[in-house]
């Protein structure tokens, strides 16, 4: 049971309402948060405690088993109207925090969640120190949201600003993909199965394919997205984090002290492409008008808050190489984009084809890790086709379930907040990881921004520009994912 006062900066915002309050409530229902906790919500709008409680109650309305339970939870929430740039407000915040620490006997343990635009992160950290809200009593942990900087330089500045108040072990940089059930499951697949552990290297793996496809567009985030694009929004953080788990060497133990250095080693071993390699190996695209499930969707440039001449990529694809003994020269292909055929987050590990004794070619073994919207694995193996002739055919061993239908997949934020309460940094991005990933991403962004690489267009409802398919063909492979859709898309794009 945790004893803590959690202060949420940006308490009236979208993230707080959609993710944080429901996650805190789940922790409350499971007893991890019980009586000894309080939440201070802050934002500029002048809400009262009663109004704030109402906001919290609404956000958990689908989760509560009874009104009494929901109300008892919401009673732990306090609100202070506060402009984070105004130093005076921090004095009131400190007073409230100390009072709540006494009332709820939280032993001065504190968590600060910055659910606000990143430009405010430095100011908040400064004031937490200068106004002695961070006072060295109890544990003091900072959770911050992405994006961590917009390039290496701004990330360094931000890190410097935060490190004036918090040390690295107190900073929890959220990457919500690291809280996903099946991303955490990669550790189990790799290191709890002798079947995979010993073949997880360049001698046996031909290539790895990471697809993070979304059918949604930019929704109401056009302003942010147009400044960001798919590469910074999804690849710098989520895709590279997942790649680091896929490519890491076996850690000595499953502890942050052993896991994190292995992940860092991968990210620091990513091959840095020059301009020529960027043009050859990375594809950017933008969606045009199209249809998904017979519904019409407008082009990206017609979305609200997007510049009409925007060259921002809504699709990014490419191939990374990790220069380690384990994976030297094994291609890690990735693709991610908005307004693609369907929501589908999955990883395919394609094993090498072995020389076989049969008079036919056989398909490679493929391990697929399904992350969303279904969770699970499948393994494609070869077997004998039923009948009197001897013929080999691929069969799929499939273990999959719909996460939502089974209700057994806790929100990523719930798991991550739980880790913060326990001081476990394993599932958070360390500064060295952020630094290494920006170093690579900056190179690609700089080439793209200088307009030295073409922007390809794709219709909404497709799987991105044809060039993303051609890239894999250059490496004598193709995207393994629902071949029927793949071939249809490929033909449509010709
Ligand atoms: N929403 C999401 O699903 C995701 C969000 N994120 C990240 O989370 C962070 C928050 O996002 P989101 O909730 O969507 O943003 P919103 O714009 O919905 O919320 C921003 C919050 O900041 C408050 N705020 C703005 N300026 C000030 C100020 N000067 N002083 C005090 N409070 C202020 C706003 O309240 P008020 O106007 O009352 O001051 C509001 O509560 C961002 O960094 C975003 O990139 C990351 C992943 C997903
Ligand atoms: O971080 C982000 O992730 C979401 C996709 O997350 P998922 O959990 O739904 O797969 C993406 O839509 C958003 O643009 C990005 O900022």
């Amino acid at each position: 049971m945790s004893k803590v006062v959690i202060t949420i900066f940006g308490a009236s915002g979208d993230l707080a309402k959609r993710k944080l309050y429901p996650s805190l409530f789940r922790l409350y229902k499971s007893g991890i948060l019980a009586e000894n906790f309080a939440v201070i919500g802050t934002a500029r709008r002048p809400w009262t405690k009663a109004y704030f409680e109402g906001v919290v109650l609404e956000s958990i309305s689908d989760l509560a088993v009874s009104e009494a339970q929901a109300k008892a939870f919401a009673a732990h929430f306090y609100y202070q109207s506060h402009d984070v740039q105004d130093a005076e407000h921090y004095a009131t915040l400190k007073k409230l925090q100390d009072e709540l620490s006494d009332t709820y006997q939280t032993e001065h343990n504190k968590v600060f969640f910055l659910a606000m635009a990143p430009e405010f992160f430095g100011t908040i950290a400064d004031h937490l120190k200068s106004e002695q809200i961070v006072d060295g009593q109890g544990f003091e942990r900072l959770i911050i949201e992405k994006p961590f900087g917009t390039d290496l330089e701004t990330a360094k500045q931000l890190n410097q600003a935060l490190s004036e108040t918090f040390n690295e072990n107190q900073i929890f940089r959220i990457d919500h993909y690291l809280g996903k059930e099946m991303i955490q499951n990669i550790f189990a697949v790799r290191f709890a199965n002798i079947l995979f552990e010993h073949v997880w290297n360049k001698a046996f793996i031909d290539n790895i394919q990471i697809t993070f496809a979304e059918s949604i567009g930019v929704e109401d985030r056009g302003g942010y997205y147009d400044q960001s694009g798919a590469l910074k929004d999804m690849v710098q953080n989520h895709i590279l984090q997942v790649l680091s788990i896929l490519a890491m060497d076996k850690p000595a133990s499953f502890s942050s002290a052993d896991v994190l250095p292995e992940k860092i080693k991968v990210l620091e071993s990513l091959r840095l492409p020059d301009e020529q390699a960027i043009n050859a190996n990375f594809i950017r695209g933008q969606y045009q008008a199209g249809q998904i499930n017979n519904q019409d969707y407008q082009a990206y440039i017609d979305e609200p808050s997007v510049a009409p001449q925007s060259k921002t990529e809504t699709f990014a694809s490419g191939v990374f190489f990790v220069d380690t003994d384990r994976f030297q020269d094994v291609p890690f292909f990735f693709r991610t984009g908005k307004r693609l055929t369907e929501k589908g987050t999955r990883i395919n590990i394609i094993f090498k084809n072995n020389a076989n004794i049969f008079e036919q070619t056989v398909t490679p073994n493929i391990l697929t890790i399904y992350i969303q919207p279904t969770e699970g694995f499948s393994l494609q193996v070869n077997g004998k086709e039923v009948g009197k002739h001897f013929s080999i055919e691929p069969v799929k061993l499939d273990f999959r379930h719909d996460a939502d239908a089974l209700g057994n997949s806790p929100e990523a934020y719930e798991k991550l907040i739980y880790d913060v309460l326990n001081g476990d940094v394993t599932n958070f991005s360390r500064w060295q990881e952020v630094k290494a990933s920006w170093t690579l991403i900056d190179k690609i962004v700089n080439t793209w921004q200088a307009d030295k690489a073409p922007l390809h267009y794709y219709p909404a409802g497709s799987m991105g520009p044809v060039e993303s398919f051609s890239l894999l063909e250059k490496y004598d492979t193709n995207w393994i994912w629902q071949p029927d859709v793949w071939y249809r898309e490929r033909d449509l794009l010709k």
Side-chain angles (χ1 to χ4, degrees), residues 10-15 18 43-45 82-85 115-118 120-121 145-147 413:
S12 58
D14 176 70
L15 182 75
R18 279 195 314 112
R44 287 167 305 183
R45 53 202 86 172
H82 170 107
D83 186 322
V84 294
Q85 287 168 311
M116 293 187 57
F120 296 116
F121 293 169
E145 261 303 338
K146 58 165 275 203
Y413 278 88

Side-chain angles (χ1 to χ4, degrees), residues 109-238:
N109 294 327
K110 312 166 198 80
V111 167
F112 305 97
F113 198 126
L114 309 192
M116 293 187 57
E119 71 235 43
F120 296 116
F121 293 169
T123 307
I124 298 172
D126 282 353
H127 283 104
L128 290 177
K129 186 178 182 188
S130 63
E131 304 311 313
Q132 292 173 341
I133 295 176
V134 168
D135 58 5
Q137 296 187 73
F139 66 67
E140 297 175 316
R141 297 172 187 153
L142 178 76
I143 310 181
I144 69 170
E145 261 303 338
K146 58 165 275 203
F148 198 89
T150 51
D151 56 19
L152 180 58
E153 201 40 52
T154 50
K156 274 184 184 165
Q157 286 162 10
L158 173 56
N159 204 52
Q160 179 57 35
L162 298 180
S163 63
E164 304 284 328
T165 308
F166 298 95
N167 66 42
E168 181 65 10
N169 277 337
Q170 293 175 300
I171 303 175
F172 293 75
R173 297 178 194 83
I174 289 246
D175 183 315
H176 77 279
Y177 267 68
L178 297 182
K180 287 186 192 284
E181 191 64 34
M182 288 307 298
I183 299 295
Q184 296 190 355
N185 218 324
I186 299 173
F187 288 103
V189 173
R190 283 197 57 190
F191 303 119
N193 293 293
I194 197 164
L195 204 60
F196 296 126
E197 192 177 327
H198 297 290
V199 294
W200 207 271
N201 56 52
K202 63 184 180 215
F204 296 96
I205 291 181
D206 184 82
N207 71 85
I208 291 185
Q209 303 181 5
I210 302 171
T211 297
F212 286 7
E214 295 188 89
S215 54
I216 58 167
V218 290
E219 314 284 279
D220 54 359
R221 296 167 72 221
Y224 150 76
Y225 196 88
D226 208 32
Q227 299 300 313
S228 169
L231 199 64
K232 292 184 181 184
D233 188 48
M234 294 293 286
V235 184
Q236 181 271 331
N237 35 54
H238 311 317

